[in-house]
Amino acid sequence: MQLSEHFTLEELTHTDHRQFDNTPNAAEMANLVRLAAFLEEVKTVIGGKPVMINSAFRSKAVNDAVGSKDSSQHRMACAADIRVPGMTPDEVVKAVIASDIGYDQIIREFDRWTHISVPNTKDMTPRRQALIIDKSGTRVYA
């Protein structure tokens, strides 16, 4: 099912933990539609390059299996971990920060992928919070 021009429900709910149900409920589905629309904006900001989804929505069972916190925006279908062929995670972060798109969080994670999210509800103001997470811990992106 297409959620936007370039993003499908299947890719935003894909998991390697197939033993667990990863079906979004109605509220999560609405968030996935918002997330897909936002990822289209990200795609534009990075010059139309492909945006590969590592992980987006995670049911509680999937989220637990990957060792993430219940407070993760992935649980609410508001976040995606992405890779962009031909760009480093740092280049993706810099491009998004330099743009005027309304990201809630952008995190360069372990120099391997970029976590990006929309606000948890459509009426919330994006925080535009930029962070780095790596073996040294979590800190503000500078």
Side-chain angles (χ1 to χ4, degrees):
M1 165 191 247
Q2 285 297 135
L3 298 180
S4 68
E5 182 180 355
H6 297 100
F7 300 97
T8 66
L9 176 62
E10 291 73 23
E11 67 188 320
L12 294 179
T13 58
H14 173 78
T15 178
D16 289 338
H17 297 278
R18 294 185 190 130
Q19 70 271 32
F20 301 118
D21 182 26
N22 202 42
T23 305
N25 64 30
E28 294 158 347
M29 189 65 188
N31 284 342
L32 281 175
V33 171
R34 279 192 313 118
L35 181 61
F38 176 73
L39 290 170
E40 295 291 349
E41 293 181 62
V42 171
K43 185 173 178 63
T44 298
V45 163
I46 59 169
K49 292 179 174 71
V51 174
M52 312 301 291
I53 308 297
N54 292 346
S55 176
F57 171 70
R58 296 183 198 140
S59 66
K60 174 145 178 54
V62 170
N63 202 58
D64 289 349
V66 301
S68 190
K69 297 177 184 174
D70 284 339
S71 60
S72 169
Q73 287 182 294
H74 290 276
R75 284 284 299 114
M76 293 171 272
C78 291
D81 293 339
I82 64 170
R83 290 174 293 105
V84 178
M87 292 182 78
T88 66
D90 200 56
E91 290 170 330
V92 173
V93 169
K94 285 177 180 175
V96 170
I97 289 172
S99 77
D100 63 352
I101 64 174
Y103 66 91
D104 192 56
Q105 272 191 330
I106 189 159
I107 308 171
R108 188 185 78 201
E109 294 197 42
F110 302 97
D111 282 325
R112 294 182 51 222
W113 66 87
T114 306
H115 167 101
I116 192 158
S117 67
V118 296
N120 293 345
T121 63
K122 64 182 176 180
D123 59 335
M124 290 176 70
T125 302
R127 294 178 288 172
R128 292 185 60 95
Q129 182 181 53
L131 303 169
I132 296 170
I133 295 176
D134 58 22
K135 64 182 180 180
S136 299
T138 302
R139 60 193 176 280
V140 173
Y141 184 91

